[in-house]
Amino acid sequence: MASGALSLALQGTGATPQGGEASQVTEARLELVWPGKDKFLLVPKDTDGKPVWVERDHPAASEVRLADFTGVVGDVPEDPYAANLLFTGDSLDVLRILCEVPEYRSIYRGKVKLIYIDPPFNTGQAFEHYDDWMEHSTWLSFMRERLLLIRDLLAPDGSVWVHLDDAEQHRMRLLMDEVFGSQNFVETIVWSRADVPRTVAKFLSNDQDTIVAYARDIQRLKLSRLPRDEATNAAFKNLDRDPRGPYRLSPLTATKPYSKGQYVVTGPTGRSFQPPNGRYWAIPEARFLELVADDRVYWGKSGDAAPMKKTFLSEVGDLVPRSLWHYQDVGSSRIAKYESKALFGATGAFATPKPERLLERVIHIGSNPGDLVLDCFAGSGTTAAVAQKMGRRWVTAEILSTTVEQFTQPRLTKVVKAEDPGGITKAVGWEGGGGFRTVTVGPSMYEDTPFGVLLAEWATNGRFARAVAGQLGFEWQPDAAPLCGVRGRMRLAVVDGAVGSEEIRQIVGALSEKERVTIVAKSVLPEAESLLAEVSPGSRIRKAPRDLLTSGAQRMRRRTEASARHTEESTEGSGS
């Protein structure tokens, strides 16, 4: 592959027979390859405007950061982790926290029914609240890290919906095939977002965005249908005053026969009917006679027209969602800006909002009341606002604290207090209620220096112990000193300094029968490990930060390997 190029590659081993026979490839999988894919994207753009990749053992590549509850709005559950949550922090850090920190993991990992994200489009445009620019390979690395975590958060019957424009949606399909498996592709929805054409367009007015939907497991996915309305029911008429009400007419003939042969039917006026040339009865004669007996065949006003089947409105269900969504049904970009101006004022409106009706449709199709909905690119908070109004639980995250302070939190507060009359408020009968907690993601516990990876100055005492518990997947227990965490029968002890024989005896003495302990210390004295092996076989010591980074790298490798298995299963299922 040429330097700096994107390519499709068939990874694996195979054989190509000679003599003109068809090529066969075994143990292979198709994937999109780009520069830096095997590394970790540290920042999409540094001060020189260039992406920065680092090796997978860099501390940022697997760190699980601290998250602190910082506020409450409205009524929330007693368990802070189970409340609706508004995070301030990078989407990657938030997704890791939800996946790895036990207090969050037990509630969210594998339990989120619907994930909708509206990530940076990579269009090369600069917006006031986002710098929407990344070179293709940078953008793919950025998205892949997040999609791997999103897959782990989805419930078995859940789905993820990724909102994009034409800049990257074709590459996103390939990336999502790799992460979720092509067999779990649901549909590409086209949102006709423009209610007027762009007269300044150079060639064609681009009037649509796309939303790519994938299931966690397509075999278990169940999506809701759309309710019928006056427009969809307009085709139903009652032409003969049938007491069962209005009905829709459909032909009883088809271009292919249901079986060999034909038959002749007689109408109420005695006229005989059979299909015209090139067409056949669509049902057997016995079934036709059953419909006639039940007055489900319409012969025209005079009774001598070709027979048509009646399908009554009272017997049809809701509508199967279609993949083309028109702005008249779900709102346009211009409507979304009007909604934003109504919330924040003409001079403070959000730059790239989405209409509430658009999110209403996504949330209606992909979830049910009480389900968990996640959006880790919150922006002005449309997803969370609509989820709240529709009775869903939600988690959302925004990287910029200024955006949270100016847009996201004020908007969600208005929703809770019933001070937001716009959007879908009237349509769903929203009258306020509920609430949410605010959560702030902390800084990195590590510092990458010319002398190696060091612990940050703030990583001391209780905050250091909390950070270690999250990094290693222990449930935090602050009141169990000298122990501070638990994972099954394994306990955690964190020493903010050196661990020696005295500390070992004190920690082991606090264990119950059959319990073992993982001890994390900033320094390990020579006698510590041998003494621990003697007094508590199966327990272990880890040195910070070195061993913490190793643990994180192993976790990341398992997640990447799981992605590879998805792709291999997809390849096998497609017969490639």
Side-chain angles (χ1 to χ4, degrees), residues 91 94-95 116-117 146 150 374-378 395-398:
S91 54
V94 172
L95 294 171
Y116 166 89
I117 58 174
R146 287 151 179 81
I150 282 172
L374 169 68
D375 180 357
C376 56
F377 296 93
V395 176
T396 195
E398 169 56 41

Side-chain angles (χ1 to χ4, degrees), residues 130 340 344 350 353-354 378-382 398 403 407-408 411-412:
Y130 288 108
S340 185
F344 308 115
F350 194 72
K354 300 300 180 289
S380 64
T382 305
E398 169 56 41
T403 299
F407 296 102
T408 324
R411 178 182 193 170
L412 296 175

Side-chain angles (χ1 to χ4, degrees), residues 408-460:
T408 324
Q409 186 169 343
R411 178 182 193 170
L412 296 175
T413 301
K414 288 182 177 181
V415 172
V416 169
K417 295 182 177 180
E419 296 173 354
D420 169 24
I424 66 167
T425 296
K426 292 182 180 179
V428 300
W430 176 250
E431 296 179 349
F436 62 93
R437 289 184 181 270
T438 56
V439 192
T440 300
V441 177
S444 175
M445 181 170 60
Y446 308 113
E447 292 181 357
D448 197 5
T449 75
F451 310 102
V453 177
L454 304 177
L455 291 170
E457 291 184 3
W458 66 262
T460 58

